[in-house]
Amino acid sequence: MTKLLPKNFVLGGATAAYQAEGATKEDGKGKVAWDDFLEKQGRFKADPASDFYHRYPEDLELCEKFGVDGIRISIAWSRIFPNGNDQEPNPLGVKFYHDLFKECHKRQVEPYVTLHHFDTPDTLHKEGDFLNLDTVEAFARYADFCFKEYEGEVTKWFTFNEVWPVSSCQYLTGTFPPGIRFDYSKVVQSMHNIMLAHARALNLFKEKGYAGQCGIIHSLETKYPYNRDSIDDQRAAELADTLSNKFLLDATFLGEYQEATWNNIQEILRSNDAHIEVPYEDIVEMKQAASQLDYLGINQYQSSFFRSYKGDNDIHHNGTGEKGTSVFKLKGVGEAMFDMAIPRTDWDWLIYPKGLYDMIMRVKNDYRNYKEIFITENGMGYKDDFEDGVINDTPRIEYIKQHLEAVSDAIRDGANVNGYFLWSLMDVFSWSNGYNKRYGLFYVDFESQQRYPKQSAYWWKELHQTRELK
């Protein structure tokens, strides 16, 4: 039986400033920590990336032609305030986003704008990023500026993209700058402080009566026990879920941490000789924001299966697409399993659409004050073959179709999900994979910067016209 998507369901494409724009040193843009971090690694850099900074009119024209009616864009904080907390904004950076949003509306593509997508200005990052409460305040000031400056041009805002990956990749896996590994105090404190920054920005948005709506985006991977009959594996999955999902969902929708959540976090922290500080004043701000949140963005690419593990921390990040090389063992939590009877990508990401359905329903059932959900990222990294301008990416089409079917099922079962944003609109730079991991509807030749629609783009266009998942 063919499943249908609602008539007004947004079919969008997702991007991020640092991954798409390029132009990292143009028109007064300030440095971000990634600039030096990538240069030190010497593997790849984010310039020119997809050259969205200069070619956005072409990309938005493709959106209009192929039925992409919403676009996730992030504002590069360091284009607006080059050092993060400058007294005056950079006029060329401010103008760029005015021009970009004008082109969006010209092409009838609604902009959904994220304020922070992994790119804190370098000056603030060197001072501790969100471990430093001065960065929390600087972010709120930057957010308030954007809300006011682009009012009328942007009505859909997100404060942060993927709080868990920001904190865990900076301080657990070491794959993001500053490249620290296994510091659980920093991981959890960073998450809490980012949620405080989100709350402060959202409260400003509501207090000042800006037009539009504002939410936050979380990366939410459903965690399952590897052996569903094993009490130890069930506990490992629960702890993994608390660390990466429940801690943030509680902060988002409740403004505080439930007793079971807090107890699990403390158990993980004790296992790793770690601690965090959560002042009462933070909870007051977070509760105020929780009652005013307009929507949640869910990013999900895979689900995880955990089994009990009693050893030390051991992580190997598969950043090359060498299938079978991933290792993810967390002391005091559990071990993620990859070699299972479930399809997976070359990067060991398990393809399990039911996980998306389960997470949507979990939010609906566990946090009754939620209002609206968008799937803000979902997609398949793939080594696309370019053959005379033809890119047959049938596996990506099947991946998208299966996950949209999961969304359709959740809508049928009462969840208020109003849009799906494919990661990514066009091929972009990947933080830890460079350019060999492609996600886009549109193939980018990174040398010539030419765009080529993939088979998935033509499938998407038909989906947009018919709303039929066939």
Side-chain angles (χ1 to χ4, degrees):
M1 179 179 175
T2 300
K3 296 181 180 180
L4 298 174
L5 293 171
K7 182 179 180 181
N8 295 323
F9 188 85
V10 177
L11 287 168
T15 68
Y18 197 74
Q19 293 178 264
E21 286 179 2
T24 59
K25 299 177 182 178
E26 287 189 39
D27 294 337
K29 183 182 187 298
K31 282 180 65 174
V32 298
W34 284 98
D35 295 338
D36 291 340
F37 189 73
L38 293 172
E39 185 175 345
K40 184 177 180 181
Q41 288 182 340
R43 290 193 296 155
F44 36 71
K45 58 182 181 178
D47 206 343
S50 312
D51 198 26
F52 187 69
Y53 190 76
H54 300 106
R55 304 182 75 103
Y56 68 84
E58 179 182 352
D59 291 319
L60 289 165
E61 184 178 3
L62 286 170
C63 287
E64 185 178 39
K65 181 178 179 180
F66 283 87
V68 180
D69 48 27
I71 184 172
R72 269 196 64 208
I73 297 165
S74 73
I75 292 176
W77 184 351
S78 64
R79 284 203 194 280
I80 306 298
F81 295 109
N83 296 298
N85 202 16
D86 308 72
Q87 289 300 309
E88 298 294 331
N90 169 30
L92 293 178
V94 173
K95 180 181 183 299
F96 168 71
Y97 291 106
H98 278 302
D99 293 343
L100 173 55
F101 300 143
K102 181 179 179 180
E103 189 71 18
C104 285
H105 295 298
K106 173 184 173 181
R107 295 296 178 181
Q108 301 179 69
V109 180
E110 183 74 18
Y112 289 68
V113 180
T114 309
L115 290 166
H116 185 279
H117 196 127
F118 301 174
D119 57 352
T120 304
D122 189 54
T123 303
L124 296 178
H125 199 280
K126 285 179 177 176
E127 295 173 357
D129 203 11
F130 283 93
L131 294 174
N132 186 336
L133 292 177
D134 289 343
T135 303
V136 173
E137 187 56 37
F139 175 79
R141 177 174 174 261
Y142 152 66
D144 190 36
F145 173 86
C146 291
F147 294 149
K148 182 177 181 180
E149 181 71 23
Y150 300 112
E151 189 174 24
E153 299 170 54
V154 178
T155 60
K156 299 290 188 180
W157 293 98
F158 295 99
T159 53
F160 286 89
N161 178 76
E162 296 191 345
V163 178
W164 162 249
V166 169
S167 301
S168 64
C169 291
Q170 288 187 166
Y171 307 118
L172 184 65
T173 69
T175 51
F176 285 14
I180 295 170
R181 285 165 65 86
F182 309 134
D183 190 328
Y184 284 79
S185 295
K186 286 183 170 65
V187 172
V188 182
Q189 191 70 60
S190 172
M191 287 197 293
H192 170 76
N193 288 2
I194 291 174
M195 289 309 302
L196 175 63
H198 153 76
R200 193 163 296 175
L202 177 58
N203 289 338
L204 279 170
F205 184 85
K206 295 299 184 179
E207 287 167 8
K208 296 194 175 183
Y210 293 118
Q213 296 175 300
C214 188
I216 190 170
I217 295 167
H218 290 310
S219 173
L220 301 173
E221 292 182 9
T222 309
K223 313 296 184 186
Y224 300 98
Y226 180 64
N227 182 341
R228 301 202 180 207
D229 296 326
S230 166
I231 293 176
D232 289 342
D233 287 7
Q234 291 172 19
R235 180 62 176 160
E238 179 185 359
L239 289 169
D241 174 75
T242 300
L243 182 61
S244 61
N245 295 327
K246 194 172 183 181
F247 184 80
L248 294 170
L249 287 172
D250 278 6
T252 300
F253 289 110
L254 307 179
E256 61 183 345
Y257 308 109
Q258 298 179 78
E259 183 178 0
T261 303
W262 187 250
N263 288 342
N264 285 344
I265 287 293
Q266 290 302 317
E267 179 180 331
I268 295 168
L269 293 174
R270 283 193 300 271
S271 297
N272 291 277
D273 299 318
H275 71 281
I276 64 165
E277 300 290 335
V278 179
Y280 172 75
E281 293 78 10
D282 294 2
I283 299 301
V284 173
E285 280 193 78
M286 289 164 58
K287 280 188 173 182
Q288 182 184 356
S291 67
Q292 302 186 95
L293 187 82
D294 288 309
Y295 40 64
L296 171 70
I298 294 178
N299 291 0
Q300 189 178 95
Y301 296 88
Q302 63 167 338
S303 296
S304 300
F305 290 76
F306 272 79
R307 73 176 179 186
S308 179
Y309 172 72
K310 304 303 181 185
D312 290 332
N313 292 295
D314 185 13
I315 293 174
H316 175 75
H317 172 69
N318 176 1
T320 62
E322 186 179 347
K323 201 168 187 175
T325 60
S326 296
V327 177
F328 196 77
K329 301 175 181 179
L330 301 184
K331 183 179 179 181
V333 180
E335 176 183 5
M337 304 302 294
F338 300 98
D339 191 6
M340 303 175 61
I342 294 174
R344 56 181 166 146
T345 71
D346 288 342
W347 287 264
D348 295 318
W349 291 19
L350 300 176
I351 302 173
Y352 195 69
K354 185 178 184 299
L356 180 56
Y357 170 87
D358 286 346
M359 183 55 70
I360 293 169
M361 299 309 294
R362 184 248 189 103
V363 171
K364 173 187 178 295
N365 294 327
D366 290 359
Y367 299 95
R368 298 299 181 91
N369 62 324
Y370 97 98
K371 297 181 181 74
E372 186 177 10
I373 292 170
F374 291 95
I375 308 307
T376 37
E377 284 183 30
N378 177 254
M380 184 180 183
Y382 193 63
K383 298 172 183 176
D384 293 312
D385 291 323
F386 183 93
E387 298 180 5
D388 298 323
V390 176
I391 306 98
N392 186 347
D393 59 343
T394 301
R396 179 176 291 113
I397 295 171
E398 188 61 24
Y399 178 101
I400 300 168
K401 177 177 176 290
Q402 289 175 0
H403 284 81
L404 279 171
E405 286 175 342
V407 173
S408 177
D409 288 343
I411 294 171
R412 175 203 64 201
D413 293 339
N416 187 28
V417 187
N418 289 321
Y420 172 97
F421 291 78
L422 177 70
W423 185 269
S424 52
L425 176 64
M426 77 293 275
D427 292 334
V428 297
F429 163 77
S430 177
W431 306 99
S432 60
N433 303 282
Y435 295 95
N436 72 331
K437 189 179 188 182
R438 294 175 178 269
Y439 280 92
L441 284 177
F442 306 109
Y443 186 96
V444 177
D445 180 328
F446 288 108
E447 291 191 7
S448 70
Q449 289 296 332
Q450 291 299 306
R451 273 68 163 147
Y452 301 89
K454 302 177 188 179
Q455 287 299 117
S456 56
Y458 293 99
W459 176 86
W460 184 277
K461 182 177 182 179
E462 182 180 356
L463 171 66
H464 187 265
Q465 293 169 343
T466 64
R467 303 282 149 165
E468 295 181 6
L469 293 166
K470 59 183 180 179

